[in-house]
């Protein structure tokens, strides 16, 4: 078996942490439980959002209309002490409607900058693929550089900053598929499935008892974590040790996607970096300060599925990005 890795000082990784890191982990566990008060049966998506917060990444949520994508993000904002804004992406939305613009003030005879909704901690970009590519691309600088440049002046965004974008499946009418360059800016792509029969009964029972998704405080939700918890958690994740064997395992998985006969586009080095980062966050959330192969496997699908592109002939045969990645995970040698 692979031995626990060592950090830069030569110390062997052990399970558990103390102090602020342990408090932060407890707060984030409470965060997941708090969101469950409003959203039923979407634990993987909740975990994905927490991982993204730890990695300072952004999340793309995909699912058919009516599976609580928007509610999930609103519940996350309600359980955190963070500012949040929502933008409904429509075909007539302009880039300045998101980033802000210069407005002429007749009293001072000068132009002043009016910030757009992107200047927040958690931006809910609702149905992002219903707006044309010009407006979609207005988020690229914000997501990558965490700033917005208007009239040549860069303006930093608040910290923390997370874009949680929802989209309908691309087969739906009136959608504009996101370009590869923008998809690569999302740390995770989480698929929101239809609920099981029992979960759907639970949802209807809640509504019959008076649950109002527009009033989460009435549902008993309250802030259970905040920026200080995120800062402590991120510091702990940054100390999570990664052995050379794990690094090689991540690279081998990503290189295998570039050689797959079913794909025209494989995972870039940015994607490999993202997979390592999400595996470290998941390792820390589960109570370890070192990464094991199972951490990499657990985050491979949500981290990589949107970074690959299928060949048309493979798509016609029913091959999916998830099936290709699963096949690669089953063939790439696992470190022992």
């Amino acid at each position: 078996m692979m031995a626990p890795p060592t950090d830069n000082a030569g110390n062997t990784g052990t399970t558990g942490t103390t102090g602020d890191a342990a408090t932060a982990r407890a707060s984030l566990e409470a965060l997941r439980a708090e969101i469950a008060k409003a959203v039923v049966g979407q634990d993987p998506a909740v975990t994905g959002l927490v991982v993204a917060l730890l990695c300072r990444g952004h999340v793309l949520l995909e699912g058919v209309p009516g599976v609580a994508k928007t509610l999930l993000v609103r519940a996350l904002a309600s359980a955190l002490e963070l500012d949040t804004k929502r933008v409904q992406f429509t075909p007539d939305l302009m880039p300045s409607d998101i980033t802000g613009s210069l407005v002429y003030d007749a009293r001072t005879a000068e132009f002043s900058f009016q910030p757009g909704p992107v200047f927040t901690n958690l931006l809910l970009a609702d149905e992002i693929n219903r707006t044309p590519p010009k407006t979609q691309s207005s988020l690229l600088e914000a997501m990558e550089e965490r700033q917005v440049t208007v009239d040549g002046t860069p303006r930093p965004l608040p910290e923390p900053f997370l874009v949680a974008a929802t989209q309908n499946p691309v087969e739906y009418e009136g959608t504009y598929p996101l370009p590869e360059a923008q998809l690569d800016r999302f740390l995770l792509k989480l698929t929101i499935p239809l609920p099981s029969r029992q979960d759907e009964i639970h949802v209807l029972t809640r509504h019959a008892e008076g649950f109002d998704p527009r009033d989460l405080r009435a549902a008993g939700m309250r802030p259970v974590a905040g920026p200080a918890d995120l800062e402590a958690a991120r510091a702990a994740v940054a100390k999570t040790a990664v052995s050379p064997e794990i690094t090689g395992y991540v690279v081998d998985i990503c290189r295998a996607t570039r050689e797959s006969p079913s794909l025209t586009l494989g995972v870039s080095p940015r994607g490999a970096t993202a997979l390592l980062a999400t595996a470290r966050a998941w390792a820390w959330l589960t109570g370890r300060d070192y990464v094991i192969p199972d951490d990499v496997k657990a985050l491979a699908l949500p981290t990589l599925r949107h970074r690959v592109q299928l060949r048309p002939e493979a798509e016609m045969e029913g091959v999916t990005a998830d099936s290709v990645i699963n096949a690669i995970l089953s063939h790439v040698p696992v470190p022992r």
Side-chain angles (χ1 to χ4, degrees):
M1 292 292 291
M2 184 177 58
T6 57
D7 58 21
N8 293 334
N11 300 316
T12 301
T14 58
T15 58
T17 55
T18 59
D20 291 343
T23 303
R25 183 188 289 118
S27 296
L28 293 179
E29 286 295 333
L31 172 68
R32 295 162 68 185
E34 197 70 17
I35 293 173
K37 292 180 180 179
V39 182
V40 177
Q42 299 292 357
D43 290 342
V46 173
T47 300
L49 285 167
V50 173
V51 167
L53 283 168
L54 293 177
C55 298
R56 302 179 78 242
H58 309 288
V59 177
L60 183 63
L61 301 167
E62 183 178 279
V64 299
V67 291
K69 300 186 298 294
T70 303
L71 178 61
L72 176 62
V73 178
R74 289 181 54 241
L76 174 69
S78 180
L80 287 167
E81 295 176 337
L82 299 178
D83 181 46
T84 180
K85 290 185 174 68
R86 176 180 179 271
V87 178
Q88 181 66 49
F89 279 64
T90 56
D92 60 347
L93 195 71
M94 299 296 292
S96 59
D97 295 330
I98 302 170
T99 61
S101 59
L102 294 175
V103 177
Y104 182 72
D105 188 340
R107 293 174 299 178
T108 61
E110 295 180 349
F111 285 93
S112 61
F113 177 69
Q114 296 297 318
V118 74
F119 286 86
T120 186
N121 295 123
L122 198 160
L123 177 67
L124 171 56
D126 216 352
E127 296 186 304
I128 190 173
N129 61 336
R130 288 200 178 278
T131 200
K134 179 180 180 181
T135 305
Q136 292 174 1
S137 64
S138 66
L139 280 174
L140 286 175
E141 182 186 15
M143 294 171 67
E144 187 67 19
E145 306 297 334
R146 298 178 183 272
Q147 67 178 25
V148 169
T149 301
V150 177
D151 195 33
T153 302
R155 294 173 169 85
L157 295 172
E159 180 62 36
F161 174 68
L162 168 72
V163 174
T166 71
Q167 73 169 9
N168 297 324
V170 294
E171 295 82 5
Y172 273 59
E173 185 177 352
T175 59
Y176 299 84
L178 295 176
E180 290 82 1
Q182 184 154 5
L183 284 172
D184 207 33
R185 267 32 176 220
F186 285 99
L187 180 74
L188 300 172
K189 179 182 177 183
L190 306 174
T191 57
I192 310 298
L194 289 166
S196 66
R197 181 177 184 274
Q198 192 58 44
D199 284 342
E200 196 163 2
I201 289 174
H202 193 182
V203 170
L204 268 61
T205 301
R206 281 188 175 185
H207 280 263
E209 293 172 349
F211 172 73
D212 183 358
R214 290 169 290 276
D215 189 359
L216 296 180
R217 290 198 177 277
M221 290 201 64
R222 59 187 177 85
V224 294
D229 297 304
L230 288 176
E231 185 177 351
R234 288 171 175 175
V237 169
K239 296 177 182 177
T240 303
V242 180
S243 71
E245 293 88 350
I246 290 293
T247 303
Y249 184 50
V250 170
V251 169
D252 289 344
I253 291 172
C254 294
R255 291 181 68 85
T257 65
R258 303 168 201 163
E259 300 166 359
S260 171
S262 299
L263 302 176
T264 59
L265 179 69
V267 177
S268 68
R270 191 209 306 267
T273 302
L275 180 55
L276 185 60
T278 56
R280 292 178 84 184
W282 177 242
W284 180 80
L285 274 175
T286 53
R288 279 176 284 101
D289 60 5
Y290 59 90
V291 181
I292 62 175
D294 284 348
D295 300 324
V296 178
K297 290 182 178 181
L299 273 298
L301 284 180
T303 308
L304 304 182
R305 59 164 58 109
H306 56 297
R307 304 175 193 271
V308 300
Q309 191 173 80
L310 290 167
R311 292 188 181 277
E313 55 269 29
E315 200 167 2
M316 291 177 63
E317 294 173 359
V319 176
T320 65
D322 284 13
S323 65
V324 172
I325 294 170
N326 278 326
I328 289 172
L329 290 175
S330 67
H331 286 94
V332 172
V334 179
R336 296 293 180 185

